[in-house]
Amino acid sequence: EGDETELETGLKLPLRPNDVGQIWALQTDYAAQSKLLTNILGLEVAHPSVARRDIICDFHLFNLSHAKTLCLTQRQGAVFHAIMTLILDKMAGWDGQEGEKHSSEASSVGAAECFKEYQRLLLAHSVNDPPGRLAVFGGSEARRLTDYASTTLFKHFLLYQFCARCDRDVQTLRFSVELERPAAPPELATARQKPSKRLNDSQVSPDGKAEGTGGSGEEMTGAGGEEVPSEEDEIQRLVEEKLRETEARLEAKLAEREQNFNERIAAKKK
């Protein structure tokens, strides 16, 4: 039974039950499963396009994986795979083709006809009436397999049909981008030391040294003869004022709390 390739109903099994068992034994090793399935089904010859071959391989692997999650036997998994393969060939127009698959516009059918064929095949293998019918699946198993097919293959029928029939379009776009060459850095020989930030420009001589207090002093002093504070000094003064204000508020709150505390203690002593 593990090596059978055709049932009494005339259904040919692309995968033998033993082949299904080997694929299931690889557990979650998807790469090994894909390689084994591709070799057994001859997908490299049937589908030379790598993109289409990967899609077909995924289709078969997902069907087998779902059959395993339903706790089907290896023989039931092989029969379910055969039914889904026939439906895929019918929807893609590959009926009866050997070797490389070529889609035919005249032989492709719609979703309604494919679902009717799926029902016929599943019923033929869910009723014990040999040789035309075999009870490979039970009633509950047939219902769960139909629910799976309805929510995957037939729900997205046009998408599956497009992927199976049409080659993937590849478009190559080339752009020519001109990049601006960066400017050369200035000569280090002409570099000068940057003056201190705390000195104003008027306090620095052309040779980079700070000027003294001699001279007219117009640049160093304001209108009243007082020294003009720098921006950093002004910021420092504002920060110190804020700190003093915050410190005064905190001290006032502490004094108020201490006074209230002393008053409560005095009241308790009375």
Side-chain angles (χ1 to χ4, degrees):
E1 182 177 321
D3 291 327
E4 63 181 334
T5 58
E6 187 173 354
L7 302 181
E8 296 180 18
T9 58
L11 180 67
K12 295 182 179 180
L13 305 180
L15 292 177
R16 301 172 301 172
N18 287 340
D19 296 332
V20 175
Q22 292 178 14
I23 295 174
W24 284 352
L26 295 174
Q27 301 294 332
T28 57
D29 191 348
Y30 174 76
Q33 288 179 334
S34 299
K35 183 177 181 181
L36 179 59
L37 185 65
T38 300
N39 292 335
I40 295 175
L41 297 181
L43 296 182
E44 290 185 352
V45 177
H47 305 285
S49 172
V50 177
R52 178 184 292 179
R53 182 166 67 245
D54 290 342
I55 293 173
I56 302 303
C57 184
D58 288 346
F59 173 79
H60 294 311
L61 283 179
F62 290 152
N63 293 336
L64 292 173
S65 176
H66 184 73
K68 185 179 180 180
T69 60
L70 296 179
C71 299
L72 301 183
T73 64
Q74 296 179 11
R75 185 168 185 260
Q76 289 174 324
V79 174
F80 179 62
H81 170 265
I83 293 174
M84 296 297 282
T85 300
L86 287 177
I87 300 303
L88 178 65
D89 290 347
K90 191 175 188 67
M91 67 185 290
W94 299 335
D95 286 341
Q97 294 186 12
E98 298 292 339
E100 184 176 351
K101 305 289 187 179
H102 297 282
S103 299
S104 173
E105 293 288 345
S107 58
S108 62
V109 295
E113 187 174 346
C114 285
F115 187 74
K116 188 179 296 184
E117 178 67 10
Y118 172 83
Q119 284 183 317
R120 185 189 71 80
L121 291 171
L122 193 63
L123 287 175
H125 298 87
S126 302
V127 178
N128 189 18
D129 185 18
R133 295 181 176 183
L134 294 177
V136 178
F137 304 108
S140 61
E141 294 167 341
R143 283 193 296 271
R144 285 183 289 177
L145 291 175
T146 301
D147 291 341
Y148 167 76
S150 299
T151 56
T152 56
L153 177 62
F154 294 106
K155 183 177 181 180
H156 307 285
F157 183 86
L158 293 178
L159 177 62
Y160 278 94
Q161 192 175 51
F162 175 82
C163 293
R165 293 174 53 84
C166 304
D167 292 328
R168 180 182 296 179
D169 293 333
V170 179
Q171 185 178 12
T172 303
L173 301 177
R174 292 183 174 86
F175 298 92
S176 179
V177 180
E178 295 183 1
L179 298 179
E180 206 175 303
R181 184 181 294 276
E187 293 290 339
L188 292 178
T190 61
R192 292 182 180 276
Q193 185 177 3
K194 189 175 181 180
S196 173
K197 293 182 179 180
R198 297 186 63 85
L199 297 176
N200 296 329
D201 294 340
S202 60
Q203 296 174 270
V204 182
S205 61
D207 59 356
K209 298 180 181 180
E211 293 182 353
T213 57
S216 61
E218 294 179 356
E219 297 83 5
M220 296 288 292
T221 60
E226 299 178 355
E227 184 177 354
V228 179
S230 65
E231 184 178 357
E232 292 185 1
D233 293 337
E234 184 66 19
I235 294 174
Q236 183 68 20
R237 183 184 64 79
L238 294 174
V239 171
E240 290 176 356
E241 287 182 0
K242 291 293 182 182
L243 287 175
R244 285 194 295 269
E245 292 176 2
T246 304
E247 186 178 359
R249 286 198 300 269
L250 290 175
E251 289 179 354
K253 287 184 179 179
L254 289 174
E256 183 181 357
R257 290 183 180 180
E258 186 176 1
Q259 183 180 358
N260 294 336
F261 178 72
N262 292 332
E263 290 177 355
R264 284 198 299 269
I265 292 176
K268 288 181 179 179
K269 288 181 179 180
K270 293 178 179 180

